[in-house]
Amino acid sequence: MLAVAEQVFSARGIQATTMDEIAELVGVTKPLIYDYFGSKEGLLAATIERARGQLLAALIDSWVAQPAAAPRDRVRGVVHAFFAFIDEHDEAFALLRTEGALIGEASASVERIRQQTAKAFAEGLRTLPAFGSLEPRRVTVMAEILIGGCERLAVWRSTHPGTTAEEATDLVVTTIWDGLATVAEA
C-alpha cells in the first residue's frame, strides 16, 4: 500500500491524489485504507515514515560498512549513501520536496527525517577518533550542517539533472570535509 501511495503522491501531487485512486491501484477498498491510516494525511505520513526508516538504515549500514577506513572515506561513504538513497527513491524524495504542501503529521514526519538523519551523522562522526573528544553539542551542529548541505544539494539536483550521486558526494565532501577536519584538529 505504501509503495503504491508513494508512487501516486509523487506522480500526481498530494492534493490531486485521491484515496479512491490508491485503493483501486492496491486492489482494496477505500474504507480499508481509512481503517489503516485514518485519512489521506495519515497515509502520506506513513509513506514518509517508511522512507525515513529506509534512509536511516542506509546511513547506518554505510557507517558500519568500513570501520577501518580513514575518517574522510567513512564520511564520504555516508554522504554517498545519502545521495544513492535519494536516487533510488526519487518518488519518496519528491514527496519531501513538496514540503510546503505538507501539513500536520506529514510535516512532522519530514522534520523527523531531518532530525534522525542528523542524529545518525552525529553518532557516526563521534565514532571517528578526531571527533570523539569534541563537545557533543559541537559534533551535533557539524552533523546538522553536513546533512543540510546534502539536503540542499539533493533539492538542487532535482531541478538540474545530470549531477550524479558520485559527483554530488564529491562536492559535499570537498566543500564540507575541509571545514570539519579543521575544527576536529583545533
Side-chain angles (χ1 to χ4, degrees), residues 125-159:
L125 287 173
R126 285 186 191 100
T127 68
L128 304 176
F131 294 88
S133 62
L134 293 176
E135 174 193 2
R137 181 178 180 277
R138 189 171 191 152
V139 176
T140 298
V141 170
M142 286 186 248
E144 291 281 351
I145 292 167
L146 184 59
I147 194 59
C150 289
E151 184 179 324
R152 288 307 310 156
L153 183 53
V155 170
W156 182 85
R157 285 177 64 222
S158 70
T159 59

Side-chain angles (χ1 to χ4, degrees), residues 50-177:
R50 176 177 168 259
R52 180 185 61 81
Q54 292 170 333
L55 174 59
L56 180 62
L59 297 178
I60 291 170
D61 288 349
S62 180
W63 274 119
V64 300
Q66 298 182 41
R72 186 180 198 277
D73 293 337
R74 287 188 74 195
V75 169
R76 187 183 193 296
V78 175
V79 170
H80 188 267
F82 176 87
F83 286 114
F85 178 87
I86 297 299
D87 287 354
E88 292 165 13
H89 298 86
D90 61 333
E91 291 166 340
F93 189 65
L95 293 174
L96 303 182
R97 287 193 315 266
T98 62
E99 183 180 352
L102 302 178
I103 59 170
E105 185 57 31
S107 180
S109 292
V110 171
E111 184 54 30
R112 278 193 294 279
I113 289 172
R114 286 190 179 108
Q115 290 171 0
Q116 194 168 36
T117 304
K119 181 179 178 186
F121 268 81
E123 288 173 358
L125 287 173
R126 285 186 191 100
T127 68
L128 304 176
F131 294 88
S133 62
L134 293 176
E135 174 193 2
R137 181 178 180 277
R138 189 171 191 152
V139 176
T140 298
V141 170
M142 286 186 248
E144 291 281 351
I145 292 167
L146 184 59
I147 194 59
C150 289
E151 184 179 324
R152 288 307 310 156
L153 183 53
V155 170
W156 182 85
R157 285 177 64 222
S158 70
T159 59
H160 297 82
T163 302
T164 66
E166 191 70 28
E167 292 167 325
T169 299
D170 288 340
L171 287 166
V172 170
V173 173
T174 300
T175 302
I176 295 178
W177 178 257

